[in-house]
Amino acid sequence: MKSANDYTIKQALPTLNYPRIRDLLSAILSLKNINETASFFHDLLTPQELKSISNRWMAARYLSNGNSYIKIAEKIKISTTTVTSVARGLNHGSGGLKLILDLIHKNDSRA
């Protein structure tokens, strides 16, 4: 398993050139706990936007566990196109999804 330091964020760096995105990411980093984070996203996003993001996150988790695209789409009730999009980010993105999934896996194995 790779450590957090093994990942590159080179592809994500251009995103940081947009002040609005940088500001949003900084705001999220300033949150201290899950309740603050839930409140922030509840106020910022519509219920459908939050559901869409959480569905993509669950697809990433299922993909990292080796589930098939069709099984994931059926389980989460999303399109296989969405699963494919998440898989593309997982396999060919900047490494952010892999990083957090590995960190979660590492923390789960310690418990």
Side-chain angles (χ1 to χ4, degrees):
M1 184 179 332
K2 291 184 176 184
S3 72
N5 294 331
D6 293 334
Y7 290 96
T8 177
I9 59 166
K10 288 180 183 174
Q11 293 173 340
L13 290 177
T15 301
L16 298 178
N17 290 330
Y18 296 100
R20 292 177 188 168
I21 294 173
R22 181 184 281 279
D23 187 59
L24 172 63
L25 297 175
S26 293
I28 293 167
L29 285 173
S30 71
L31 298 168
K32 294 177 183 72
N33 58 49
I34 196 163
N35 289 333
E36 288 183 4
T37 307
S39 180
F40 173 78
F41 282 109
H42 179 269
D43 292 349
L44 182 66
L45 303 173
T46 67
Q48 186 57 42
E49 290 167 334
L50 189 55
K51 181 180 177 184
S52 178
I53 291 169
S54 65
N55 284 344
R56 286 174 166 272
W57 171 242
M58 289 311 305
R61 293 192 76 161
Y62 285 129
L63 284 163
S64 72
N65 289 328
N67 290 281
S68 74
Y69 289 27
I70 292 172
K71 197 176 246 186
I72 294 168
E74 290 171 352
K75 190 175 273 193
I76 304 175
K77 296 181 175 50
I78 59 176
S79 71
T80 54
T81 303
T82 299
V83 178
T84 301
S85 174
V86 173
R88 190 176 319 110
L90 188 60
N91 296 318
H92 305 291
S94 64
L97 278 174
K98 284 184 180 180
L99 171 64
I100 193 68
L101 288 165
D102 283 350
L103 289 171
I104 288 170
H105 178 71
K106 186 185 288 186
N107 287 336
D108 287 348
S109 65
R110 289 181 187 165

